[in-house]
Amino acid sequence: MDTNVATFCYGLLLLVLFGWYFFTDSERAKRVLGTLLTVLIAALCLYMAYPPFDKRDDTGKLIGKPGKIHLGIDLQGGTTFLIQLTVDPSTGKQITKPMVEQAMEAIRKRVDGMGVSEPIITPQGKDRIMVQIPGIDVNKIAEARNQLKQVAKLEFHLVHRQSNELVGQIEAGTAAPPVGYDIVTYETTRGDKTSTSKLLMKRKADLGGEHITSAGAYFDAQGWGVHMNFDKVGGELFGTLTKQVFEEQSRMAVVLDGKVQSAPGVEKGAIYGGSAQISGGNMGESEARALASALENPLQTPVVIESERSASSTLGKDAIMSGVNAGIGGLVLVLLFVVIYYRFAGLVAVVGLIVNIVVLFGCMAMFGFVLTLPGIAGIILTIGLAVDANVLIYERLREEMEAGKSLPVAICSAYDKAFTVIFDANATTLITAGILFWQASGPVKGFAVTLILGIIASVFSAMVVTRMIFSWALEFNLIKRISMLHLISGEGINFMGKRVLWISISLAVAVIGIGGFALQYPKNLGIDFKGGDFLMLEHTGPVDLADVRVKLAPLNLPDISLQKESDATANKNYLSIRSPIDTADKIEAILFKALPDAGFKEAAKDRVGELVSGQLVNSSLWALGLGALGIFIYVTIRFEMSFAVGAIVALLHDVVITVGLFSIFGHELTLIMVGAILTIAGYSINDTIVVYDRIREGLHSGRKGSVQAIMNASINETLSRTLLVSGCTLLSVAALYFFGGPVLHDFAFAILIGVVVGTYSSIFIASPIVLWWSGHKGGDLRTEVKKAETPAVA
């Protein structure tokens, strides 16, 4: 059977089983279907993800089968270029899809000529191309940069036969230039001497480079040069041109990208062989080979390199090691906590979490997603979030057992009642993750991918896998009762009665955060948002920042930032330098020469132009705005508008305070921070939705008491879940902060702040805002909730 047909049939089978599982009311059917789904999905994911990564020897040679999960540039080492196609605005032309496709094909052929393996070239928007070159040597990045941006527009122009005489007369004002001719300047190099000459050159080209069929570098007594062959039309045009040059005893100018390369004459008559050569000047081997490649693959549209990000393979390996250690550390901490607190139910959650991770990696391999360093952070964060659904179910289970229900009935009731809140909470988180995936690019998109897949996998493992395990345990009488710790009790705490105090505290902290951000601005903006260069150097010897500043003083760089960082896991030290754009190469050259005892080695280098940095600011604001709008619409539909207002206010509260405190502690806002902020927004709304669901349940069920009293009771009832999930998330993020390495240090720090602030807002801010807004507009929240309530599929 064809592989595609088999895959389709397998997927269709899973879809049918899922539908049957969620629509059946039979516990026996759910048990069997859940087992089939778990086995089939886990088997498929294991098959698709094994082996997960490449295994190579010391020389870099692949051992065994290639890995199924592709690593990003930041993990395997290499360089990423973001290229923009440009046109002269005065011409009225616009970048078209064929122009982008032609540029991509030309760039692909040039990159292939560099001898690198598996380059990734993809369009970005309407006029940009992202080029990812894995494994490229640091010393060849400049060559690659020149190769990518060189248009290689080759032209042959006739030089006026009286060029030498007329140039002097025209410049002296005693003669007018002939119609259709211009004076041009070109340089010739002989040995170490460079001389400048002027030509009277025909404005219109007699022959263009589009007729070149092949080109190659050669070496002879004159040095390196480039030979080229023309197609039939080009050969005839070249023969006509050389015939005219020979008969007039003039010259022809060889012009590359608007610059005259040489102006040879023709000594032995017309050349009809269909070939030509470019030689002379100060051309070396690398220049000759690069020019030959460019001539074979010319760009019809000029391009500029807007940003450039590179990472050494060593830094990538260290990042993987740090990420793995952080992941294992976070996983162990969370699993220990869950097992100690929930005992047998905790062991069930552990099995579900293992299935969660298998499904996550299997889906990444299945759909060809790239694992990046922020993606590893997303996986670690998923470990904390995956516990959320289990805690929701287990806290419901505790309530059902305390109500006197038998264990089988309590388990079924807990899963059925927890479904709605798990669905709503994760749907809102998916909204922010989906928008992040849509708006982001490169490594940050990798974070969004792992977060989305992690959320989906965690819901499956909690609602299907763990329920199936409980069902089989009951079927074979393996459990008769379930016990768990109950260390957090929220009975009788008057949260709503002191709402003015809580809101006042938040306003004070928010004002301090905004002030701190304003005082640090624009120093608190990374190069992603203000443009510039970032250079990370690994060093084996001692480095003094004051000494570094002295050595860099001749460059006279007013806006330069130096920072020492370390990776405890890899036992390595780094010097990070942020400087104005196009200065990193000069800084690197000076430090390598002036401080040889430091043992500097380039670990990473980024360059972001002002144009792309401004667009990143706009896209980031759009992402935050669209995320807030999506959450507002969803919460309004699922709950009521008052709840949506409360959710957005709590979200803004969390973002403002997190960004403000982040700046006060001296950290920079970078592109990856946008991912952190959207993650915080998703986490905050996830927490808030859990409280809202309990309030909605109380109002809809006709519970006695005022709306304020019901809200207060709901916050108390969900307090245990809120603090437990926050604690588990903090454990996993703390592991990322301490063991994730310097690259993810700021990201983890922002998430730590966000988790604490988000927990605070879900308990103390969101519900008071709902109550205030409902009273402000003069409606009855109880009645509005009943109208907005929609039946949920259990």
Side-chain angles (χ1 to χ4, degrees):
M1 183 184 293
D2 183 76
T3 304
N4 293 330
V5 175
T7 304
F8 174 78
C9 293
Y10 202 96
L12 187 62
L13 173 63
L14 292 176
L15 187 63
V16 171
L17 292 176
F18 263 116
W20 191 358
Y21 179 88
F22 283 108
F23 283 101
T24 184
D25 292 325
S26 169
E27 187 61 29
R28 181 176 180 275
K30 280 186 178 294
R31 180 168 63 247
V32 175
L33 292 170
T35 304
L36 284 173
L37 283 169
T38 302
V39 171
L40 290 175
I41 291 177
L44 176 63
C45 290
L46 285 171
Y47 172 76
M48 296 300 298
Y50 185 81
F53 306 111
D54 290 344
K55 186 177 181 181
R56 299 181 181 272
D57 58 21
D58 295 336
T59 63
K61 185 178 180 181
L62 181 67
I63 301 175
K65 296 181 179 179
K68 300 290 186 65
I69 297 177
H70 303 291
L71 298 179
I73 292 294
D74 52 351
L75 292 181
Q76 63 174 315
T79 301
T80 298
F81 297 94
L82 182 62
I83 299 173
Q84 183 183 30
L85 279 69
T86 61
V87 293
D88 187 350
S90 61
T91 62
K93 294 182 179 180
Q94 292 185 340
I95 302 297
T96 61
K97 186 177 180 180
M99 293 166 71
V100 174
E101 292 174 347
Q102 190 279 331
M104 286 180 59
E105 185 61 26
I107 289 171
R108 188 183 307 280
K109 290 179 179 178
R110 293 185 186 184
V111 174
D112 288 342
M114 298 178 195
V116 298
S117 60
E118 299 183 3
I120 301 172
I121 303 171
T122 55
Q124 300 284 312
K126 295 180 180 179
D127 60 352
R128 288 180 173 82
I129 299 170
M130 180 172 285
V131 182
Q132 295 180 310
I133 308 177
I136 185 171
D137 187 83
V138 173
N139 299 321
K140 293 186 177 180
I141 293 177
E143 178 186 339
R145 185 189 305 124
N146 294 331
Q147 271 272 54
L148 293 175
K149 68 182 181 182
Q150 186 175 16
V151 177
K153 183 181 181 182
L154 181 69
E155 295 175 328
F156 294 86
H157 294 251
L158 180 67
V159 177
H160 199 282
R161 61 183 177 180
Q162 296 179 306
S163 174
N164 295 335
E165 296 84 358
L166 289 176
V167 166
Q169 295 174 11
I170 294 171
E171 290 186 335
T174 59
V179 177
Y181 283 81
D182 294 318
I183 295 178
V184 297
T185 302
Y186 83 103
E187 295 180 347
T188 56
T189 302
R190 293 184 180 277
D192 297 331
K193 295 182 179 181
T194 300
S195 59
T196 302
S197 304
K198 293 185 178 181
L199 298 172
L200 187 61
M201 186 182 75
K202 187 177 179 181
R203 186 177 303 132
K204 183 179 180 181
D206 294 273
L207 174 61
E210 67 273 11
H211 295 291
I212 295 176
T213 57
S214 63
Y218 71 89
F219 182 81
D220 59 14
Q222 303 297 321
W224 284 94
V226 176
H227 65 81
M228 65 202 81
N229 296 316
F230 299 105
D231 58 18
K232 183 177 181 181
V233 175
E236 293 175 355
L237 290 174
F238 189 68
T240 302
L241 175 61
T242 53
K243 179 181 179 182
Q244 185 176 357
V245 171
F246 175 73
E247 292 176 348
E248 295 181 359
Q249 290 299 298
S250 61
R251 290 184 289 172
M252 60 180 177
V254 182
V255 182
L256 180 66
D257 291 340
K259 183 178 180 181
V260 178
Q261 300 293 308
S262 61
V266 178
E267 299 178 355
K268 299 180 181 179
I271 303 173
Y272 284 103
S275 63
Q277 295 177 344
I278 302 176
S279 61
N282 199 24
M283 190 182 301
E285 180 182 3
S286 60
E287 290 84 357
R289 295 190 185 281
L291 178 57
S293 174
L295 291 175
E296 279 195 321
N297 309 288
L299 287 169
Q300 296 176 2
T301 309
V303 300
V304 294
I305 297 178
E306 287 192 331
S307 68
E308 175 185 329
R309 301 180 188 273
S310 63
S312 68
S313 58
T314 303
L315 183 65
K317 292 177 182 177
D318 293 342
I320 294 174
M321 182 188 301
S322 300
V324 170
N325 289 338
I328 293 174
L331 181 63
V332 170
L333 289 173
V334 170
L335 294 185
L336 282 175
F337 177 82
V338 170
V339 171
I340 292 172
Y341 197 87
Y342 288 110
R343 299 171 185 174
F344 176 79
L347 290 174
V348 174
V350 168
V351 177
L353 190 56
I354 293 172
V355 173
N356 180 1
I357 295 173
V358 170
V359 171
L360 172 59
F361 279 100
C363 289
M364 289 195 68
M366 199 181 312
F367 297 108
F369 292 125
V370 177
L371 180 63
T372 62
L373 186 56
I376 293 178
I379 294 172
I380 295 170
L381 187 61
T382 299
I383 294 172
L385 293 176
V387 181
D388 181 26
N390 293 110
V391 172
L392 282 170
I393 295 167
Y394 294 166
E395 291 302 307
R396 277 287 188 179
L397 177 59
R398 184 200 307 278
E399 294 175 8
E400 297 298 317
M401 291 190 298
E402 289 176 353
K405 295 181 181 179
S406 64
L407 184 58
V409 174
I411 289 175
C412 290
S413 181
Y415 274 94
D416 292 340
K417 288 183 177 181
F419 177 80
T420 302
V421 64
I422 290 174
F423 179 84
D424 285 332
N426 284 282
T428 51
T429 309
L430 277 174
I431 290 173
T432 58
I435 290 172
L436 180 61
F437 176 80
W438 173 37
Q439 288 288 315
S441 61
V444 181
K445 179 169 285 190
F447 169 74
V449 166
T450 56
L451 193 59
I452 291 171
L453 294 177
I455 291 170
I456 296 172
S458 65
V459 172
F460 168 74
S461 63
M463 295 304 300
V464 178
V465 177
T466 60
R467 182 167 186 168
M468 175 266 296
I469 295 174
F470 276 122
S471 184
W472 283 113
L474 290 171
E475 176 71 14
F476 289 103
N477 293 318
L478 298 178
I479 53 172
K480 303 213 182 266
R481 57 186 294 274
I482 291 179
S483 62
M484 52 185 84
L485 296 179
H486 194 190
L487 302 180
I488 303 171
S489 178
E491 296 180 1
I493 303 176
N494 190 8
F495 293 105
M496 297 295 293
K498 297 180 180 179
R499 57 186 180 276
V500 175
L501 173 63
W502 311 134
I503 293 176
S504 299
I505 293 173
S506 289
L507 286 173
V509 177
V511 169
I512 293 172
I514 293 172
F517 180 87
L519 289 174
Q520 295 288 335
Y521 186 85
K523 293 181 180 179
N524 53 358
L525 297 182
I527 65 170
D528 293 321
F529 295 126
K530 65 179 180 182
D533 286 2
F534 169 77
L535 177 64
M536 177 181 278
L537 299 175
E538 179 189 340
H539 60 90
T540 55
V543 172
D544 181 67
L545 294 185
D547 193 23
V548 172
R549 288 190 182 278
V550 171
K551 295 297 188 291
L552 296 179
L555 292 178
N556 193 25
L557 301 175
D559 186 18
I560 185 170
S561 171
L562 306 177
Q563 183 179 358
K564 293 174 72 173
E565 299 176 293
S566 61
D567 185 346
T569 303
N571 193 26
K572 292 185 177 180
N573 298 307
Y574 299 96
L575 171 65
S576 298
I577 306 172
R578 294 160 180 83
S579 61
I581 197 163
D582 292 331
T583 58
D585 290 339
K586 298 176 183 177
I587 292 173
E588 189 174 24
I590 289 176
L591 292 182
F592 275 46
K593 183 177 180 181
L595 299 173
D597 294 337
F600 283 126
K601 185 169 65 174
E602 182 182 313
K605 185 189 293 181
D606 296 347
R607 173 188 173 275
V608 180
E610 290 185 6
L611 178 62
V612 72
S613 65
Q615 292 169 341
L616 285 174
V617 172
N618 292 333
S619 64
S620 300
L621 292 175
W622 267 107
L624 291 172
L626 290 172
L629 178 62
I631 289 171
F632 184 86
I633 293 172
Y634 184 86
V635 176
T636 299
I637 294 173
R638 291 290 293 153
F639 292 84
E640 197 272 333
M641 186 175 177
S642 297
F643 289 91
V645 172
I648 296 302
V649 171
L651 186 153
L652 293 175
H653 163 278
D654 299 343
V655 170
V656 168
I657 291 180
T658 299
V659 172
L661 293 178
F662 192 78
S663 296
I664 288 174
F665 283 106
H667 296 272
E668 287 186 342
L669 299 178
T670 60
L671 186 58
I672 195 174
M673 269 299 297
V674 178
I677 291 171
L678 280 170
T679 303
I680 291 166
Y683 181 86
S684 169
I685 201 68
N686 187 301
D687 257 2
T688 303
I689 288 293
V690 174
V691 179
Y692 281 0
D693 180 78
R694 189 58 66 97
I695 295 173
R696 176 178 61 181
E697 181 182 318
L699 294 174
H700 190 262
S701 63
R703 179 188 290 186
K704 294 181 180 181
S706 65
V707 172
Q708 179 177 326
I710 293 174
M711 284 184 167
N712 204 66
S714 300
I715 297 173
N716 277 278
E717 290 167 2
T718 56
L719 183 63
S720 177
R721 173 265 163 206
T722 300
L723 296 180
L724 287 172
V725 171
S726 297
C728 289
T729 307
L730 284 172
L731 285 174
S732 58
V733 178
L736 182 64
Y737 178 80
F738 288 108
F739 305 111
V743 180
L744 290 177
H745 189 269
D746 283 0
F747 177 86
F749 183 71
I751 297 292
L752 285 173
I753 296 175
V755 169
V756 175
V757 176
T759 302
Y760 179 90
S761 69
S762 65
I763 297 173
F764 298 103
I765 302 300
S767 297
I769 296 298
V770 174
L771 184 64
W772 170 80
W773 183 264
S774 176
H776 175 73
K777 69 178 185 177
D780 179 20
L781 188 62
R782 194 188 301 266
T783 303
E784 291 170 349
V785 166
K786 289 182 178 180
K787 287 181 179 179
E789 176 74 2
T790 55
V793 179

